[in-house]
Amino acid sequence: MSRLPTQAEIVIIGGGIIGCSVAYHLAKLGKKDVLLLERKKLTCGTTWHAAGLVRTMLYSGNLTRLARHSIELYTRLEKETGQATGLKQNGSISIATNPERWDELRRGASMAKAFGVEAEEISARKAQAMWPLLNIDDVVGAIFFPRDGQTNPADTAMALAKGARMGGVTILEDCKVAGILTKDGRAIGVRTAEGEVKAEVVVNCAGMWARDIGLMAGVDVPLHAAEHFYIVTEPMELPPNLPVMRDMDSCAYYKEDAGKLLVGAFEPNAKPWGTDGIPEDFSFDELAEDFEHFQPILEGALHRVPKLAETGIRKFFNGPESFTPDQRYLLGEAPGLKNFYVAAGFNSIGIQSAGGAGMALAEWIVGGHPPFDLWDVDIRRMQPHQNRKTYLRGRVSEALGLLYAMHWPYRQFQTARGIRLTPLYMRLKEHGACFGEVAGWERANWFAPAGVAPKYEYSFGRQNWFSCAGAEVKATREKVGLFDQSTFAKFIVRGTDAERELQRISAADMAVEPEHAVYTQWLNERGGIEADLTVTRLTDDAYMVITAAATALRDLHWLKRNIAGDAKLTIDDVTNAYAVLGVMGPNSRSLLQSLTDVDLANQSFPFGRSREITLGPARLRATRISYMGELGWELYVPSEFAVAVFDALMAADESYGLRLCGMHAMDSLRIEKAYRHWGHDITDEDTPLEAGLGFAVAFDKKAPFIGRDALLRQKQVKKLNKRLVQFALDDPGPLLYHNEPIYRDGALVGRTSSASYGHYLGRAIALGYVHHETGVDADFVAGGRWEIEVGLKRFPARASLRPMYDPTSARMKA
């Protein structure tokens, strides 16, 4: 009799700590018909050799929630299952050896407060008292996280596996998955050497094999293995309660390991591995030693821990771990295949993330949606080109080292660049553009003046482009700015049922006359904002959906998933067919009028209208709308005419004061106007009413829309206990970025969701959700004393529910 069942409700591929955690949490949710298949033995890929560090804080609030769940789970697993995990919460110490790193660590400590994580600023001397072998000659300061610690990775995974089995899960080792069964756009099972297993859900937790498993299903899972090094010393009589110590300036971490010291590294210029395939029999294997590659880390370690000079090395270890293009793991349902879920690419934080990630994915599978906003790690953020080996090999060599590199604001990747270019790329480059990357696109972030290199010089203060962006903001506010917005995603929805379906999916009214643009949100059944975009009605049966480059795949997936099965319509991605030029500012009308015969006066071309016009040498679509809060038009130009239209605009009379502007200027302009940014200020767990976007919801339209009932219930609440508020620091000096704690009358009430310097308002501006049990309204906001914490120091701020710049939008609608 075959040990392999022919059917299971859920099949999990991969028996590392991630797969075991997903299985464990599914069992906790009552799912017993779960089959976990491991190609060799549990933990044999990367789990068994992980360092086992666990932290209470990651780089966002919701990922911190997942990390906290991991630690809470690991503390009770041994009692629950009888299997030891080796968890020790001795805390961790992060040291700084220069002012820049110290600034970063203190900002991180403030962020920890916003996330509810304990973090303590300590002196170099106190750090040495807690870690006696530490050389503090060059240490500026340190941050202590008392709830951090370490665990035994293999034992923890085995405890999760045992807990899963206790809940009814079947785990089979030595059963390699050789194919994914699909039908009608959904996963329906797996194929193995022992036979096929039909399933309702397939979960890819295959670690560094996850990319190959994805390809079997036609799903992109962009990750690549890299070599990860550490050494273990001979016994050093270390106390078992020694905290983990991180010296990120030397790319190294240190942890006590049964009286010995483990020294690991996240070095720059890492070594990709497995590009040509992972050996078939790979199981508990090690990679070849490379002392030359590790030597700079060891030299730094000898400086940081001088006793190492008189201590032998017992073990030099090199093993593979998988990394993703942006250092964030991949979680969720694949956008191209229903019921195929992914949890992979954990970038050396798999042990500390496993408990929370397993919980989140299990709830996602059972509930049909993530338990809270997980956009940071949602697989739908990835682009198809990022799954190509040539791209991944170059990017992973950089990604590993960035874990411990300085986490500068606006830091740009250096590798795998220049891949997606807008039609105007070369023109912008000729005019001094400094480019940043979003979804693989090269976008002009700022423009360097003559004689200045278009290159970032990073800091937590005013970076070298600060004044350039300021001049671009000034030009847009006072004259006219020209923005390349070609990276907008553009979808044409066409058919007799286009209006019916968009009415049901959109919160705003889509039953408008042709040639009108509508700002709207797409909501989930809970009223949360799944997408924030513009829909333009082109004709009676055709609409153009415009959304951000970063969310293109996610938004297209949401649209397709929610179209009724009997709908008579088509959806076409026309992103590359059109360049988009944003002409914004009080002089935009007169400049454009000089190039077209169409009357652009307010009466003839009011705000929200969209018309085909001839402008200079091309026929194009002009839409009067703005993300910058000024009079302006977005010009949708057929790509082949983009350069000619650009040249015509640039050749316009100098009296209009046209200036090229980048994304940093746009961010400053939009935050002064308090325009929301999806993924930061609004997410799938924030409603339009909480976000101050109720004006965009058509409660009275005849067609019911997704999320309407949830909003109607929330609308009955007299005062919401969560509202998005705009803030401006009183002091024009400090800079805000995001995730800074917000205080009202000395009490922590929230954190900033996005921030930038408001060049026209002359100070740092932020948006952030404020929470209070008695409700948040205009009186509550006006009656409080507000502060925002930056680097463990609080700064007074002004708060408002209305935009601080042009609150009535008179300038934009002039």
Side-chain angles (χ1 to χ4, degrees), residues 17-18 53 70 74 321 329 346-355 357:
I17 194 169
I18 304 300
L53 308 184
S70 293
Y74 299 164
E321 301 215 8
Y329 54 88
F346 279 80
N347 302 279
S348 280
I349 61 169
I351 307 305
Q352 72 183 43
S353 302

Side-chain angles (χ1 to χ4, degrees), residues 199-211:
E200 296 177 21
V201 172
V202 176
V203 189
N204 180 0
C205 300
M208 58 185 175
W209 291 272
R211 179 179 180 274

Side-chain angles (χ1 to χ4, degrees), residues 46-101:
T46 61
T47 296
W48 73 276
H49 65 69
L53 308 184
V54 291
R55 303 183 67 176
T56 47
M57 189 184 82
L58 290 176
Y59 48 81
S60 77
N62 285 331
L63 293 190
T64 295
R65 288 170 68 177
L66 297 185
R68 186 182 298 127
H69 176 85
S70 293
I71 291 181
E72 291 171 353
L73 172 63
Y74 299 164
T75 60
R76 64 176 188 269
L77 262 184
E78 181 173 351
K79 182 177 181 181
E80 177 186 331
T81 66
Q83 166 69 52
T85 63
L87 177 68
K88 298 192 298 183
Q89 287 182 270
N90 298 336
S92 75
I93 299 170
S94 293
I95 65 170
T97 61
N98 57 67
E100 292 79 15
R101 179 72 73 178

Side-chain angles (χ1 to χ4, degrees), residues 676-698:
R676 282 62 168 149
H677 181 275
W678 195 92
H680 287 96
D681 308 311
I682 45 179
T683 70
D684 57 8
E685 59 179 321
D686 306 311
T687 73
L689 300 181
E690 294 165 341
L693 297 174
F695 68 89
V697 179

Side-chain angles (χ1 to χ4, degrees), residues 497-514:
D497 292 332
E499 178 184 311
R500 183 193 76 183
E501 293 303 299
L502 286 173
Q503 277 285 62
R504 187 171 50 80
I505 294 171
S506 305
D509 190 357
M510 295 294 107
V512 295
E513 293 296 318

